[in-house]
Amino acid sequence: MINKNYRSFICGIRGKSLSDKEKKFLIKYKPWGIILFSRNIDTISQTQKLTKSIKKLFKNYNYPILIDEEGGRVSRLKNFIDNSIFTAKFFGDMYKKNPKKFYLYFHIYIKQISYLLKTLGININTVPVLDIRRNNFHQIIGDRSYSTNKDIVRKIGNICVSIFHKNKIGTIIKHIPGHGLARVDSHKKLPVVDKNLSYLLKNDFSTFKKNKSLIGMTGHLLFKKIDKKNPSTHSLKIIDIVRKRIQFKNIIITDDLSMKALKNDLKSNVLNSFKAGCNIALHCNGNLKEMLIVAKNSPKIDKFILKKTSHLMNIIG
């Protein structure tokens, strides 16, 4: 089981198997979880060997192993399945036209994805995207969003989490408190949003409210009318809104701290995330030098994370 000796970070790995250096790093620093990308995945049997080796290292069959399998553009399992038509927009449009057909298709789709993830040894999928799609803004979200309608986004998001949980896969809602108003790609530059708090609470922030996912991921955006200086991931004010106004009471992880939206050095980005109230730091690129910086500046997990992780284990176990 995850215990108090683990640290509050999630990291990627470089290749399709663990290197000796990575094994030593993981044993020494004990990240809360590991996230896999296309670079880590070749065949089903290779992926199974990889996830088994990770779990064996931690002596934990339920050790958190994450993946981004949204369907559409964001699919890490392209070697096994063609998920390209099953965008969030595909299901959102179907929900609008034919709710009965939507429920049938969506249940079957998530059941099949869950089965594949479990077969591969993966137990957390970083879905659903609860950002509102806006056609005249940057399309980094675009068809990854269920709808331009906030109520449809919220409704399908709740259904998505519920079905994945029933199929023993954990979920991560993203990008809290909302990425739909971004005019630039946060992988490359910091988006600045100029809407006021009352507008955001009624719209972009509302889709995350009362969602039952045990994990939420921040978006790196600057909401300048709430916090002029700090992007969401580093903003005490935003994280306070997430906790009190959006009422998300579970684990908050950062979006990838190596994204270019964050201007500071990596150490500062890690420390500022925890100061703002994020629970777990996420670092994805598998660069061992950077991973050491993240690990050394991430605290041991606290009672809150232990409690929520225990709830997660009840779902994925």
Side-chain angles (χ1 to χ4, degrees):
M1 284 293 289
I2 301 286
N3 59 44
K4 61 184 180 181
N5 293 317
Y6 283 69
R7 288 184 180 268
S8 302
F9 75 102
I10 297 164
C11 63
I13 55 171
R14 211 28 136 175
K16 294 176 175 64
S17 60
L18 291 174
S19 68
D20 288 340
K21 283 184 177 178
E22 284 173 334
K23 285 178 186 174
K24 285 175 186 173
F25 170 84
L26 295 174
I27 289 166
K28 182 173 181 180
Y29 291 104
K30 293 182 172 56
W32 181 90
I34 288 174
I35 186 165
L36 300 182
F37 290 88
S38 300
R39 66 175 184 264
N40 309 121
I41 294 167
D42 185 19
T43 65
I44 289 176
S45 60
Q46 167 268 324
T47 309
Q48 287 172 326
K49 281 180 190 170
L50 174 59
T51 57
K52 278 177 186 171
S53 70
I54 292 167
K55 291 170 183 180
K56 189 177 177 185
L57 205 65
F58 294 109
K59 300 182 177 65
N60 181 0
Y61 182 73
N62 288 325
Y63 180 78
I65 299 179
L66 297 71
I67 198 166
D68 299 317
E69 190 51 44
E70 296 177 12
R73 285 178 284 150
V74 183
S75 174
R76 313 302 185 196
L77 303 178
K78 288 175 184 171
N79 288 343
F80 316 139
I81 52 170
D82 180 4
N83 230 356
S84 56
I85 70 160
F86 297 118
T87 63
K89 182 181 184 295
F90 172 88
F91 287 112
D93 289 348
M94 188 184 290
Y95 177 85
K96 247 178 133 175
K97 287 176 193 168
N98 189 335
K100 276 189 178 177
K101 185 179 177 183
F102 160 80
Y103 281 107
L104 178 65
Y105 275 53
F106 203 48
H107 273 79
I108 292 169
Y109 169 76
I110 293 178
K111 191 175 181 182
Q112 294 304 314
I113 293 295
S114 300
Y115 175 78
L116 181 54
L117 294 179
K118 284 186 287 187
T119 300
L120 295 170
I122 296 162
N123 48 28
I124 299 174
N125 194 10
T126 70
V127 294
V129 173
L130 297 184
D131 306 313
I132 299 170
R133 183 169 70 255
R134 285 186 171 79
N135 298 323
N136 56 339
F137 284 72
H138 196 282
Q139 293 307 295
I140 185 59
I141 299 300
D143 61 6
R144 296 168 65 195
S145 166
Y146 293 115
S147 181
T148 56
N149 182 313
K150 64 184 178 183
D151 298 320
I152 291 175
V153 173
R154 184 172 59 245
K155 176 86 172 173
I156 299 179
N158 288 334
I159 295 166
C160 177
V161 170
S162 175
I163 304 171
F164 269 115
H165 283 184
K166 280 176 189 168
N167 285 279
K168 296 188 174 297
I169 297 292
T171 57
I172 301 180
I173 56 174
K174 59 189 185 186
H175 304 82
I176 204 164
H179 207 298
L181 288 163
R183 292 191 181 275
V184 295
D185 179 356
S186 55
H187 292 89
K188 298 173 183 175
K189 199 173 178 183
L190 179 65
V192 178
V193 176
D194 62 3
K195 298 288 186 185
N196 62 34
L197 179 58
S198 62
Y199 175 90
L200 292 164
L201 286 169
K202 284 177 197 165
N203 294 281
D204 295 73
F205 293 7
S206 71
T207 57
F208 296 89
K209 202 162 187 181
K210 296 180 182 174
N211 190 284
K212 291 182 179 172
S213 181
L214 289 172
I215 311 170
M217 179 189 289
T218 65
H220 301 322
L221 295 92
L222 185 78
F223 293 93
K224 69 178 187 181
K225 288 189 175 167
I226 301 171
D227 188 331
K228 291 178 185 176
K229 185 181 173 188
N230 302 297
S232 300
T233 307
H234 293 158
S235 172
L236 273 163
K237 291 176 183 175
I238 293 289
I239 301 301
D240 189 59
I241 288 166
V242 170
R243 292 302 194 197
K244 291 177 182 171
R245 306 293 292 272
I246 297 173
Q247 297 175 328
F248 185 72
K249 304 296 185 186
N250 295 319
I251 292 172
I252 297 175
I253 72 171
T254 72
D255 203 347
D256 183 9
L257 292 179
S258 58
M259 286 164 66
K260 291 184 171 65
L262 303 179
K263 304 295 184 207
N264 297 325
D265 62 278
L266 184 57
K267 179 180 176 180
S268 299
N269 287 336
V270 175
L271 293 173
N272 289 339
S273 301
F274 290 116
K275 280 177 191 169
C278 295
N279 304 115
I280 294 176
L282 173 67
H283 180 268
C284 295
N285 65 22
N287 179 316
L288 204 55
K289 283 184 180 176
E290 291 186 16
M291 285 156 64
L292 277 164
I293 294 168
V294 176
K296 287 176 180 178
N297 292 285
S298 296
K300 296 279 181 75
I301 63 174
D302 58 20
K303 287 180 182 177
F304 173 81
I305 299 172
L306 276 172
K307 180 184 172 186
K308 297 297 180 180
T309 304
S310 175
H311 294 166
L312 176 69
M313 293 300 160
N314 290 336
I315 290 167
I316 67 177

